[in-house]
Amino acid sequence: MNRILGRRAILNFIYLMSPPLLDVEGGGRGNAPLMSSSASGDCISQSGSGLKECNFLGLSDCSSVDSSAVSNVCGENKNNLNFKATELRLGLPGSRSPERDSDFSLLSSGKLDEKQLFPLLPSKDGICSLMQKSIVSGNKRGFSDTMDGFSEIKSSVFTEGKWMFNANGSDSGTPQSVVEAKLAGNAGINVILTNNSSGAQPSMKKEVPTRAPKEGQNKMNGSNNNSSAPAAKAQVVGWPPIRSFRKNTLATTSKNNEEVDGKPGPGALFIKVSMDGAPYLRKVDLRMYSTYQELSSALEKMFMCFTIRKCGSQETPDREMLGENKFKDLLHGSDYVLTFEDKDGDWMLVGDVPWGMFIESCKRLKIMKGSDAIGLAPRTMEKSKNQN
Amino acid sequence: MVYSFPEEVLEYVFAFLSSDKDRNAVSLVCKSWYEIERWCRRRVFIGNCYAVSPQIMIRRFPEVRAVKIKGKPHFADFNLVPERWGAYVYPWISAMARSYPWLEEIKLKRMVVTDESLELISKSFKNFKVLSLSSCEGFTTDGLSSIAANCRNLRELDLRESEVEDLSGHWLSHFPDNFTSLVSLNMSCLGSEVSFSALERLISRCPNLKTLWLNRAVPVEKLASLLRRAPQLVEFGTGACSTEIRTDIFSNLVEAFSGCKHLKSLSGFWDVVPAYLPAMYSVCSRITKLNLSYATVQSPDLVELISQCSNLKCLWVLDYIEDAGLKALSSYCKDLQELRVFPSDPYSAEPNVSLTEQGLVTVSAGCPKLQSVLYFCRQMSNAALIAIARNRPNLIRFRLCIIEPQAPDYLTLEPLDTGFGAIVEHCKELRRLSLSGLLTDRVFEYIGTHAKKLEMLSLAFAGDSDLGLHHVLSGCESLRKLEIRDCPFGDRALLANAAKLETMRSLWMSSCSVSYGACKLLGQKMPNLNVEVIDERGPPDSRPESISVEKLYVYRTVAGPRADKPDFVWTMDEDGALRFS
């Protein structure tokens, strides 16, 4: 073992000689946690701004979306909430605002029948218990305002070196809930953009595992489990590590069995999504959503991110990407409609049949130009009548 | 002297060497042995399709008959590798079509296969016999039609767990009427219904058929007819068995199974109605492999079936089996070597079944030959892991997935370091390990110290600092594949152990803390590695060097940077400049 270490130490030394990056003694024994260094602060705020670029709903430079798009995303009675929630008022435990309380009591009355998103924290950090109360279906709706607010949260809280997940502060209430909702939404970034891990993700996740053990939060697990009501778990990309084949099989199996207590079946249902003009397909998990709105906004973000990113960079002019004009079309919501191919191979407009029926028959999705989709709507209605 | 030994004799002797390791060793003896060996090597295994190019393979081994190629990193199974990442097989097929006209076998895993590739295969190799596409994607049933229609000597067609665009079931009907060579057919991943009469005729005229894995669309009432035509089957996978039980169907099934005297392996059972299971009791005593991982059957029915399988060596099952069922398993199946328990409802917060760590402990105590474990559960303790380690020091593969990330020992609320430490300490032959639960750097210290035979390690949400990664890279002498997600490992351990990476097949790190600057440095210093940064946020140059990359895939290669990268992958090369695809 010593010989091996010796060899390694030599190699360490060689690599340590050149780069400006390394400043440790040989052997990698320096154990300063990465998290507290300013470098990680840079990482966090940087990736926060990276997130910002992606956001087409309000704060980014590229977008010029009118507010109607935003309110569509948010749903009828939660409009105010989203905008309020994006304002930077949070971070320090104990600071409350009455408005917030009322906002969140609204949320807590939301239905609990769908998967919640929570950040990658062990429940011992006190997050789980609060997550049940916080935005539920709103998590998916809250996705947009999460993206809005996320960069601010990070810059205000994280770079100040404050760690928000005080396990003891689990009763601090609203601000923390808001934070967690934000972070939940952030974890939601991972989830909704199934194959697209956001820039914020690495910094999020790296924060958590390091901090929790150091603060000795291990004992929190039990108490939190007691205090929280059981609820469906959020999905982290690729966790638990189950192959798509098996996940889809589980999903289909559960569809065949009766749903218990009205909760949605387990397992994922990955469907390919293509878009006219986009160079490649994405995949979405239909089980992540419970309404057409959620699916639609998630898809918008999924395909939007690529467009905006390419807008910003001058790097690959020969890439076959959506041009500026098409992008603007997308933003103004003028030109694209969402269609799906059902089990019979017919293409139909999305939105005419109840969500449950849609999930069962949808084989794939396609974002088509509006002009190509003329004539689809009537067939949908007829077909559903025939099926019924 | 070597000169007095004719080449033909050496060639004859080398023909008895089947393992690649032995052949590689032989090649190193001297130049003439290298030459003789390379001309008579018939089977080539390529663990990473980008580690070597088709041209290099063909140049060295001109007379190959069988290739096995693996493509995407393992974490692609869990959607961590973005689409269009790569692993296209077409360049390999097209090169081999020119140079290996006598190629007989192509086995691929996690590669992108197009209909074009399949058609080229079907037309280029006159003696083509074996096509195995495991976890592949990119082709449709039209491609299968080409294979069926043109491969006159086909023996095996195995599509396990591939994603096939299922245009219709018509492909099966493309096997010509005089086609009789089929030995193995696995179509379990397909959705569409094939023509049942075509299937029946195919099976009837192939007397050597040993393996038949049907797809879900074949209903249970048709099974008996198929089995009667193929009583020589050794491996059989049913379709869905969900139709309501009827006496005539059931009795047909009983009769058909009883005629199968050679059945050793059963699979399928999608949505199986428990009442069908007794139809198989007559074959249970010969069964060595049982895949019930699609069977949503409760523990008592499972136990009924398993209790008759005294020769069972391999069991894949859902967690419906519960601790009670595992206890029964451990008492009835003393020959058990491999156990996989999959979660039936992984996404709910509360357990839906009574399966805990206890089940695994019981099996480890009762099954002395147990060597391979994959276990999903919701709670674990150090005590249980220590017990398992002491019970089963002969473990070779141990993959534990505690569903909640970073779950601690549920009894003591401590990290699971000592438990996994016991595993690596006692199980000296351990080759594959997957960790989960709450883990600090200490577990990696144990692994680095004890896991000397470990070849593959999978980590998620584990560790505190670079020290953890350093322990693994510096201590695990046999390490070939390391895959890491969401761990706080950064630049220091990676750079300090850069040379280690040349001794491994590959390293995957996603959602860790490796900075772009470190990746560049690694790429500069290590010309025999491809250091690929996967980042969907745009070019890493547009961000400061200290920013962590989203995903990093490092692998040794003699083929240089790859030319087919998508726009979200960058190779860090010697110039320190970025290369775009």
Side-chain angles (χ1 to χ4, degrees):
Chain A
M1 188 63 178
N2 284 337
R3 257 191 20 231
I4 294 169
L5 276 178
R7 225 180 296 147
R8 296 282 175 238
I10 291 170
L11 286 165
N12 294 345
F13 203 65
I14 293 172
Y15 291 106
L16 290 173
M17 295 289 275
S18 29
L21 286 174
L22 301 182
D23 56 354
V24 291
E25 311 87 24
R29 292 261 154 206
N31 202 13
L34 290 171
M35 300 313 112
S36 55
S37 68
S38 55
S40 40
D42 290 344
C43 294
I44 296 165
S45 54
Q46 264 318 106
S47 32
S49 51
L51 244 186
K52 219 173 185 169
E53 285 169 21
C54 273
N55 175 16
F56 75 101
L57 279 186
L59 298 184
S60 85
D61 303 327
C62 278
S63 78
S64 52
V65 184
D66 46 339
S67 55
S68 59
V70 177
S71 51
N72 286 341
V73 168
C74 298
E76 307 98 27
N77 43 354
K78 316 269 183 186
N79 276 343
N80 305 335
L81 181 63
N82 286 323
F83 285 109
K84 288 220 180 84
T86 66
E87 292 170 45
L88 180 65
R89 289 200 238 164
L90 38 83
L92 304 177
S95 57
R96 289 177 178 261
S97 80
E99 266 174 272
R100 280 305 165 89
D101 289 336
S102 65
D103 288 346
F104 276 86
S105 59
L106 249 185
L107 290 175
S108 59
S109 64
K111 45 187 167 56
L112 279 171
D113 61 343
E114 43 204 342
K115 296 184 179 64
Q116 299 207 45
L117 304 171
F118 60 72
L120 277 176
L121 304 171
S123 53
K124 58 183 177 282
D125 272 341
I127 305 305
C128 249
S129 54
L130 290 161
M131 279 319 301
Q132 278 83 38
K133 302 193 211 90
S134 66
I135 308 171
V136 180
S137 52
N139 253 341
K140 293 170 187 132
R141 244 168 291 143
F143 178 79
S144 58
D145 56 76
T146 301
M147 296 187 86
D148 293 339
F150 190 75
S151 50
E152 283 113 331
I153 300 170
K154 285 195 146 179
S155 49
S156 75
V157 179
F158 283 87
T159 51
E160 281 174 323
K162 286 202 194 293
W163 182 248
M164 283 178 312
F165 304 122
N166 286 319
N168 298 325
S170 55
D171 56 349
S172 68
T174 337
Q176 198 159 344
S177 317
V178 175
V179 170
E180 284 139 18
K182 294 293 169 278
L183 294 160
N186 179 48
I189 295 171
N190 299 333
V191 181
I192 294 173
L193 309 178
T194 42
N195 283 328
N196 181 14
S197 50
S198 75
Q201 173 195 343
S203 42
M204 270 309 304
K205 291 185 187 170
K206 80 181 176 197
E207 290 279 348
V208 171
T210 323
R211 288 288 170 159
K214 280 187 167 54
E215 293 190 358
Q217 298 307 324
N218 300 342
K219 305 262 184 259
M220 292 308 295
N221 196 20
S223 56
N224 283 327
N225 282 340
N226 292 339
S227 59
S228 61
K233 252 193 206 329
Q235 285 191 48
V236 174
V237 172
W239 191 267
I242 302 172
R243 295 175 139 185
S244 310
F245 183 67
R246 190 169 291 282
K247 271 198 275 204
N248 286 349
T249 306
L250 272 180
T252 323
T253 304
S254 70
K255 257 194 290 191
N256 295 339
N257 304 336
E258 285 305 305
E259 282 178 344
V260 179
D261 299 334
K263 76 173 177 158
L269 198 56
F270 285 94
I271 302 282
K272 288 189 182 173
V273 187
S274 61
M275 177 172 180
D276 284 346
Y280 49 82
L281 302 178
R282 305 308 302 278
K283 273 190 193 166
V284 285
D285 175 4
L286 286 185
R287 293 215 180 273
M288 296 308 304
Y289 317 106
S290 60
T291 68
Y292 287 115
Q293 283 297 358
E294 292 165 12
L295 174 64
S296 165
S297 59
L299 288 176
E300 277 177 289
K301 284 170 193 70
M302 192 179 289
F303 285 90
M304 209 47 82
C305 263
F306 288 92
T307 324
I308 293 174
R309 177 165 58 83
K310 289 305 184 252
C311 261
S313 91
Q314 303 300 314
E315 294 292 345
T316 52
D318 54 334
R319 293 269 128 221
E320 216 186 273
M321 290 303 297
L322 295 172
E324 284 271 352
N325 294 332
K326 283 194 183 180
F327 169 72
K328 288 204 175 94
D329 287 339
L330 277 166
L331 288 181
H332 292 297
S334 58
D335 220 23
Y336 284 81
V337 290
L338 186 57
T339 62
F340 75 102
E341 184 184 14
D342 72 355
K343 286 189 168 140
D344 303 331
D346 297 321
W347 286 93
M348 315 217 268
L349 279 181
V350 165
D352 292 333
V353 297
W355 177 259
M357 200 184 302
F358 165 69
I359 286 196
E360 303 225 344
S361 56
C362 173
K363 260 175 49 177
R364 65 161 102 179
L365 289 165
K366 191 168 181 179
I367 303 174
M368 283 187 189
K369 271 187 152 347
S371 44
D372 294 339
I374 291 172
L376 289 185
R379 265 164 55 202
T380 313
M381 292 313 293
E382 279 171 24
K383 202 159 193 181
S384 55
K385 280 185 203 141
N386 292 340
Q387 283 168 352
N388 294 339
Chain B
M1 295 294 290
V2 69
Y3 300 105
S4 63
F5 226 37
E7 272 187 26
E8 296 81 12
V9 175
L10 281 173
E11 205 175 307
Y12 183 75
V13 172
F14 291 171
F16 290 97
L17 297 174
S18 51
S19 108
D20 284 341
K21 261 190 178 171
D22 291 341
R23 282 188 163 264
N24 291 344
V26 150
S27 312
L28 293 175
V29 167
C30 62
K31 279 190 182 151
S32 68
W33 278 37
Y34 176 91
E35 279 301 310
I36 297 167
E37 193 282 320
R38 78 181 186 90
W39 279 96
C40 69
R41 193 175 303 211
R42 299 282 176 261
R43 314 190 75 87
V44 175
F45 168 68
I46 292 165
N48 173 5
C49 64
Y50 291 119
V52 68
S53 71
Q55 290 70 32
I56 293 175
M57 174 185 73
I58 290 168
R59 198 170 59 218
R60 180 169 173 191
F61 301 119
E63 300 276 339
V64 165
R65 298 277 186 272
V67 289
K68 180 167 179 180
I69 311 174
K70 293 190 178 180
K72 298 185 200 174
H74 173 238
F75 272 173
D77 286 352
F78 316 127
N79 291 340
L80 288 178
V81 177
E83 297 214 4
R84 291 180 314 120
W85 176 84
Y88 306 105
V89 80
Y90 189 80
W92 291 87
I93 305 296
S94 114
M96 293 192 295
R98 285 191 293 274
S99 307
Y100 292 159
W102 299 110
L103 192 68
E104 293 176 5
E105 276 187 34
I106 296 176
K107 294 189 176 179
L108 306 174
K109 188 164 186 180
R110 282 189 213 103
M111 295 200 78
V112 176
V113 183
T114 55
D115 286 348
E116 211 188 353
S117 301
L118 291 176
E119 194 174 337
L120 191 56
I121 290 174
S122 74
K123 302 232 167 96
S124 311
F125 309 115
K126 299 298 167 208
N127 206 22
F128 195 68
K129 295 198 171 109
V130 172
L131 181 64
S132 170
L133 304 175
S134 171
S135 306
C136 293
E137 58 169 357
F139 60 103
T140 77
T141 42
D142 284 350
L144 298 179
S145 300
S146 308
I147 297 285
N150 298 316
C151 299
R152 296 307 170 105
N153 297 312
L154 193 70
R155 294 215 189 125
E156 282 183 39
L157 180 60
D158 184 345
L159 305 171
R160 67 181 71 195
E161 291 175 19
S162 289
E163 253 184 64
V164 186
E165 188 168 338
D166 209 328
L167 301 173
S168 84
H170 198 57
W171 65 274
L172 191 87
S173 312
H174 283 260
F175 283 113
D177 289 336
N178 59 356
F179 170 75
T180 59
S181 50
L182 200 63
V183 173
S184 169
L185 177 62
N186 180 348
M187 47 183 244
S188 52
C189 62
L190 298 178
S192 294
E193 206 175 320
V194 299
S195 150
F196 189 71
S197 57
L199 183 60
E200 273 185 330
R201 287 198 307 276
L202 177 66
I203 289 169
S204 302
R205 65 178 186 271
C206 295
N208 297 320
L209 191 68
K210 298 276 185 307
T211 299
L212 178 64
W213 292 29
L214 301 170
N215 65 343
R216 224 170 155 148
V218 178
V220 65
E221 51 267 25
K222 303 250 170 86
L223 292 182
S225 153
L226 293 174
L227 284 173
R228 261 185 254 116
R229 288 161 205 267
Q232 76 282 5
L233 280 177
V234 175
E235 296 184 313
F236 182 61
T238 73
C241 301
S242 46
T243 43
E244 291 233 352
I245 188 122
R246 266 175 28 207
T247 341
D248 55 339
I249 300 181
F250 184 78
S251 53
N252 281 344
L253 214 48
V254 172
E255 194 203 323
F257 269 112
S258 61
C260 295
K261 306 288 186 201
H262 305 275
L263 263 186
K264 292 244 178 72
S265 164
L266 284 176
S267 172
F269 303 110
W270 283 286
D271 307 327
V272 65
V273 170
Y276 281 117
L277 294 176
M280 278 157 270
Y281 287 174
S282 59
V283 300
C284 279
S285 60
R286 283 184 292 269
I287 294 290
T288 55
K289 173 156 182 183
L290 193 53
N291 181 354
L292 293 167
S293 60
Y294 305 113
T296 51
V297 172
Q298 302 301 316
S299 183
D301 296 307
L302 288 171
V303 171
E304 267 295 321
L305 184 66
I306 288 169
S307 60
Q308 317 215 12
C309 301
S310 51
N311 286 315
L312 197 62
K313 291 204 168 81
C314 174
L315 175 67
W316 292 20
V317 73
L318 287 172
D319 56 7
Y320 289 127
I321 193 170
E322 299 189 330
D323 289 344
L326 290 175
K327 187 165 175 203
L329 176 71
S330 69
S331 63
Y332 289 115
C333 304
K334 293 301 187 187
D335 270 355
L336 194 71
Q337 290 174 11
E338 176 176 336
L339 174 67
R340 297 195 190 190
V341 179
F342 295 97
S344 52
D345 192 1
Y347 303 110
S348 77
E350 293 302 304
N352 59 325
V353 292
S354 170
L355 179 102
T356 69
E357 82 284 6
Q358 197 48 49
L360 186 56
V361 174
T362 315
V363 175
S364 73
C367 298
K369 299 189 189 167
L370 187 69
Q371 48 173 236
S372 179
V373 170
L374 169 62
Y375 200 75
F376 283 80
C377 61
R378 289 174 191 273
Q379 67 184 40
M380 187 50 62
S381 66
N382 283 310
L385 285 170
I386 293 169
I388 293 166
R390 292 210 176 117
N391 289 338
R392 284 284 62 78
N394 50 328
L395 282 176
I396 290 179
R397 279 170 228 104
F398 188 72
R399 294 154 72 186
L400 180 68
C401 178
I402 307 166
I403 288 180
E404 169 86 31
Q406 301 181 311
D409 177 329
Y410 77 101
L411 295 170
T412 65
L413 299 180
E414 282 172 1
L416 290 171
D417 300 336
T418 41
F420 280 107
I423 294 277
V424 291
E425 193 184 336
H426 290 269
C427 306
K428 303 202 192 300
E429 301 297 316
L430 197 68
R431 294 202 303 253
R432 183 166 180 183
L433 179 63
S434 301
L435 306 180
S436 57
L438 182 64
L439 297 162
T440 73
D441 284 345
R442 258 199 333 150
V443 72
F444 299 115
E445 195 181 337
Y446 296 141
I447 290 175
T449 310
H450 295 285
K452 295 305 180 187
K453 300 255 179 93
L454 191 66
E455 295 178 5
M456 182 168 178
L457 179 62
S458 309
L459 309 176
F461 311 110
D464 305 317
S465 74
D466 270 44
L467 195 53
L469 180 59
H470 176 68
H471 282 306
V472 170
L473 289 176
S474 57
C476 296
E477 292 164 0
S478 310
L479 196 63
R480 292 189 301 115
K481 288 180 280 185
L482 180 57
E483 48 185 23
I484 303 173
R485 63 162 298 179
D486 295 279
C487 296
F489 299 146
D491 302 341
R492 290 183 288 204
L494 191 61
L495 293 173
N497 292 283
K500 170 74 174 175
L501 299 178
E502 273 187 4
T503 68
M504 292 165 54
R505 181 187 295 175
S506 65
L507 166 69
W508 170 277
M509 291 179 75
S510 58
S511 308
C512 297
S513 313
V514 181
S515 72
Y516 170 54
C519 297
K520 278 206 296 192
L521 189 61
L522 193 61
Q524 278 171 34
K525 297 292 177 196
M526 309 295 297
N528 290 327
L529 296 179
N530 276 355
V531 179
E532 293 184 3
V533 167
I534 300 170
D535 210 314
E536 289 177 286
R537 295 170 294 182
D541 262 359
S542 60
R543 290 179 293 275
E545 283 201 359
S546 54
I547 297 295
S548 302
V549 301
E550 281 180 350
K551 300 173 189 187
L552 174 66
Y553 186 50
V554 181
Y555 55 91
R556 65 179 174 189
T557 181
V558 295
R562 57 180 177 119
D564 60 357
K565 295 189 294 288
D567 54 8
F568 51 83
V569 175
W570 289 270
T571 305
M572 311 287 106
D573 76 349
E574 292 164 3
D575 303 327
L578 295 187
R579 292 255 186 95
F580 296 93
S581 59

